Amino acid sequence: MIKEWFKSGSPWIWLTAGAVTINLVLVAGLLLLIALRGLGHFWPADIVEYQYEDQNGRSTIIGEEVDTSLLPAAQAKAAGHQVLNGAEYLVQFLVKTGNRDILGSDFRWIQQQYIKHKAEPADLISVERREWGNFYGRLKAVKADGNIVAQGEPALAVAQEKLVAALDLHEQIDVLQNKDVGAINYGLERLRLKQRALELKGEWNDGHAREFAAQKQAYQQQYQEIQVRLTKLNQEMKRTSLVVVEAGGREINLPLHRIVKLTQPNAMSGLDKMVEYVRNFATFVSDEPREANTEGGIFPAIFGTVLMVLLMAVVVTPFGVIAAVYLREYAKQGFVTQIIRIAVNNLAGVPSIVYGVFGLGFFVYIIGGNIDRLFFPEAAPAPVFGTPGLLWASLTLALMTLPVVIVATEEGLSRIPKSIREGSLALGATKAETLWRTVLPMASPAIMTGLILAVARAAGEVAPLMLVGVVKLAPTLPLDGNFPYLHLDRKFMHLGFHIYDVGFQSPNVEAARPLVYATSLLLVMVIVGLNMFAITIRNNLREKYRALEN
């Protein structure tokens, strides 16, 4: 009976089903862990006030309770802590105390045995600053031009109102500095390059000098006007400040223009916290990073990842399809063709860092350097395309994923019945017309499958990008309002490299840990989104040509 059961193949079916189920459970568990650790970071946690007394004396500690752990008694004694009643472990809490400019660090471990009192007063505030991380304490008063305009309970409402106005002013300043002043600097640089190009050609004359001087004067006038507006906006924004009290009882003056957000989480209802949670996540997705990437958002990394993958797809698809069509439809099937297929399959297993080294040497130094010498001599010695950038990163990943597209397309072409080709040729179509109008449309689902696999691999790659264009923080996006709008020579940010940088290069490990999970979750979501878009197109194409395949 058992022997017949094994002969039927059922055990192998169940074994395969079990392995697939275990893999799905592991993947689901991993995604759930990432989601819980990452998304939990955006919930507005309550602020706790501890009355703490240890060997250093009595003190007040204010902050968010982040984690709990058990400290072995031997380690506790080595650290100078008393172990009461012969306990084997000491319970300790990791508290995000903030106030880094005062305390020197954002986090602190405290032992439960030293806590004399623990409370969550409703009047405690959390202030997210542009520098020095969060501030935790109490709001005492609001000042405008050095005079107190509100104090006590009404101070919070006034502070929130003033903060909205300050954030609006900051946004106006940001637009003027990054967009308008950036456009002026870009225009001046283009003028300088044009002048240098004319000088190299020996065509520079007094007429050009007067024309360029007039244009520079116009740019200078625009810059002066913007500077006047910036001065007024900065003066207006710096008028207001908050008087806050830190845990030690010291009063501190916080300028409002250095504040991003002011909340009172202990006084929030569940609905208020849910709204704040959504707002925090939206800010994380849409804002720019701050504080060595440990604060703010990751929009430039999302933008860079998606743009790079789209450019890679635009490049790899036609080349992969052309190579597959040649190997399947035109090349004489024999030993040489078989060797080429083996080489293509082996290329899929080459370590990604090797592609990065090749991209740096061939694309950046050889092709990019020659492009600079031929088309951008006026920019020398500064490189234009002879330096890592978005274009070379996209081409490197396209080269890395090319074997995947070739193999998938060949498989699709091999499944198309020979009768389809013969029928098209019998009706008078040429071989090229048969391929273009009949064979390739029917093979398009397989082409999309190859593209899906290519996107899934390329979007998460980090090692080659570190050599050919990705950076920790890009000053500008590769796409902006300055001609030619899409700047393929610029460096860019990437979600995968952002995870590496925040997780392993951050000076503030505890603050960076939840961001690693949140960014990892977003990277998975971006890859899934891109793949779902391609899968939808593939399924539509498959339904369209299903009748012909049958």
Side-chain angles (χ1 to χ4, degrees):
M1 190 72 177
I2 297 178
K3 187 178 294 185
E4 292 179 358
W5 186 56
F6 271 96
K7 286 182 179 180
S8 67
S10 297
W12 315 119
I13 295 175
W14 283 102
L15 184 63
T16 303
V20 171
T21 302
I22 292 173
N23 287 333
L24 290 177
V25 170
L26 291 175
V27 170
L30 176 62
L31 293 178
L32 182 62
L33 172 65
I34 293 174
L36 291 176
R37 292 292 186 92
L39 296 178
H41 170 67
F42 305 106
W43 184 261
D46 290 336
I47 305 174
V48 184
E49 184 176 40
Y50 303 91
Q51 299 300 327
Y52 194 71
E53 186 174 3
D54 59 3
Q55 59 269 26
N56 297 321
R58 191 176 185 88
S59 61
T60 301
I61 300 173
I62 296 177
E64 299 178 12
E65 195 172 292
V66 177
D67 196 8
T68 305
S69 70
L70 297 177
L71 182 66
Q75 295 184 16
K77 291 179 180 178
H81 299 299
Q82 297 179 359
V83 180
L84 304 178
N85 301 325
E88 296 183 2
Y89 297 94
L90 293 185
V91 179
Q92 60 178 1
F93 304 106
L94 179 62
V95 180
K96 183 179 180 180
T97 56
N99 304 9
R100 193 184 334 139
D101 50 337
I102 302 171
L103 303 176
S105 62
D106 291 285
F107 293 83
R108 175 181 176 182
W109 285 100
I110 63 174
Q111 283 64 45
Q112 186 180 40
Q113 63 179 8
Y114 298 136
I115 298 175
K116 301 304 180 182
H117 182 69
K118 179 180 178 181
E120 298 177 359
D123 62 337
L124 292 178
I125 62 170
S126 172
V127 181
E128 183 179 344
R129 299 180 288 182
R130 301 188 186 277
E131 295 178 348
W132 300 108
N134 286 5
F135 174 88
Y136 298 108
R138 289 178 168 84
L139 177 63
K140 183 176 181 180
V142 180
K143 287 185 177 181
D145 297 325
N147 300 317
I148 295 178
V149 296
Q151 57 183 347
E153 292 186 4
L156 182 62
V158 175
Q160 295 282 17
E161 181 182 348
K162 297 288 186 181
L163 181 58
V164 171
L167 292 175
D168 182 64
L169 291 173
H170 187 275
E171 185 176 350
Q172 295 180 43
I173 292 172
D174 189 62
V175 170
L176 288 174
Q177 289 179 336
N178 295 330
K179 183 179 179 181
D180 296 346
V181 175
I184 291 174
N185 292 333
Y186 186 77
L188 288 172
E189 179 63 15
R190 288 176 64 87
L191 279 179
R192 186 189 70 82
L193 294 176
K194 286 181 180 179
Q195 177 179 340
R196 179 59 180 163
L198 291 172
E199 290 174 350
L200 292 175
K201 295 177 182 179
E203 299 176 0
W204 180 256
N205 54 42
D206 293 340
H208 288 134
R210 288 191 294 270
E211 178 186 351
F212 278 44
Q215 294 184 37
K216 289 180 181 179
Q217 182 63 31
Y219 280 127
Q220 189 65 29
Q221 185 175 355
Q222 292 178 27
Y223 179 76
Q224 294 294 341
E225 294 174 356
I226 292 174
Q227 283 298 112
V228 171
R229 294 171 59 189
L230 285 173
T231 301
K232 291 181 179 179
L233 290 173
N234 278 307
Q235 290 176 349
E236 178 67 22
M237 188 172 60
K238 293 178 180 179
R239 290 180 54 199
T240 310
S241 62
L242 305 181
V243 179
V244 294
V245 181
E246 52 97 20
R250 183 171 40 164
E251 292 187 4
I252 299 173
N253 193 63
L254 292 182
L256 205 60
H257 69 276
R258 296 180 181 174
I259 297 175
V260 177
K261 186 173 59 177
L262 171 64
T263 57
Q264 205 170 45
N266 294 356
M268 287 183 176
S269 63
L271 181 60
D272 292 336
K273 288 191 174 184
M274 183 64 68
V275 172
E276 187 66 23
Y277 175 80
V278 174
R279 187 181 292 118
N280 289 341
F281 184 77
T283 300
F284 179 70
V285 173
S286 61
D287 207 355
E288 295 184 353
R290 305 189 311 271
E291 295 276 11
N293 289 338
T294 60
E295 299 286 347
I298 57 170
F299 174 74
I302 298 175
F303 186 88
T305 303
V306 174
L307 183 59
M308 181 204 66
V309 170
L310 292 178
L311 289 175
M312 181 274 300
V314 169
V315 174
V316 74
T317 304
F319 281 99
V321 172
I322 290 172
V325 167
Y326 176 78
L327 290 174
R328 176 59 59 178
E329 303 292 335
Y330 287 96
K332 184 179 179 180
Q333 303 302 312
F335 177 75
V336 176
T337 309
Q338 192 65 25
I339 291 297
I340 293 175
R341 287 196 175 96
I342 294 174
V344 169
N345 291 328
N346 288 338
L347 282 174
V350 173
S352 59
I353 189 65
V354 175
Y355 285 100
V357 174
F358 175 82
L360 180 65
F362 181 71
F363 290 133
V364 177
Y365 292 150
I366 296 178
I367 296 182
N370 286 323
I371 288 175
D372 284 354
R373 282 190 290 272
L374 291 174
F375 300 103
F376 302 99
E378 65 276 7
V384 179
F385 283 96
T387 185
L390 177 63
L391 175 62
W392 308 133
S394 301
L395 289 180
T396 300
L397 291 187
L399 183 65
M400 184 184 71
T401 56
L402 186 61
V404 178
V405 179
I406 292 176
V407 172
T409 304
E410 267 209 274
E411 289 295 326
L413 292 172
S414 66
R415 290 200 303 267
I416 298 174
K418 189 177 180 181
S419 59
I420 297 291
R421 297 176 174 84
E422 293 174 347
S424 177
L425 294 172
L427 292 172
T430 64
K431 187 171 184 178
E433 290 173 338
T434 299
L435 284 171
W436 182 254
R437 297 181 179 275
T438 304
V439 176
L440 282 180
M442 293 182 65
S444 55
I447 297 173
M448 292 304 301
T449 298
L451 182 60
I452 291 167
L453 296 174
V455 167
R457 182 180 181 188
E461 285 292 345
V462 177
L465 299 181
M466 296 170 67
L467 299 175
V468 290
V470 74
V471 291
K472 175 186 177 73
L473 184 63
T476 53
L477 294 176
L479 185 67
D480 60 20
N482 299 319
F483 182 84
Y485 311 117
L486 179 60
H487 305 275
L488 297 177
D489 57 307
R490 288 183 183 174
K491 294 176 174 58
F492 66 102
M493 295 181 66
H494 184 270
L495 285 171
F497 184 76
H498 188 84
I499 294 170
Y500 163 76
D501 176 69
V502 173
F504 298 96
Q505 304 295 318
S506 175
N508 196 343
V509 177
E510 297 295 343
R513 183 178 293 123
L515 295 181
V516 171
Y517 289 104
T519 309
S520 300
L521 179 64
L522 275 176
L523 178 58
V524 173
M525 292 171 61
V526 167
I527 294 175
V528 170
L530 292 171
N531 285 341
M532 290 302 296
F533 177 71
I535 289 171
T536 302
I537 297 176
R538 183 191 64 182
N539 291 341
N540 291 336
L541 292 172
R542 183 174 292 168
E543 291 297 326
K544 181 177 180 180
Y545 297 107
R546 186 182 297 276
L548 291 176
E549 292 178 358
N550 296 332

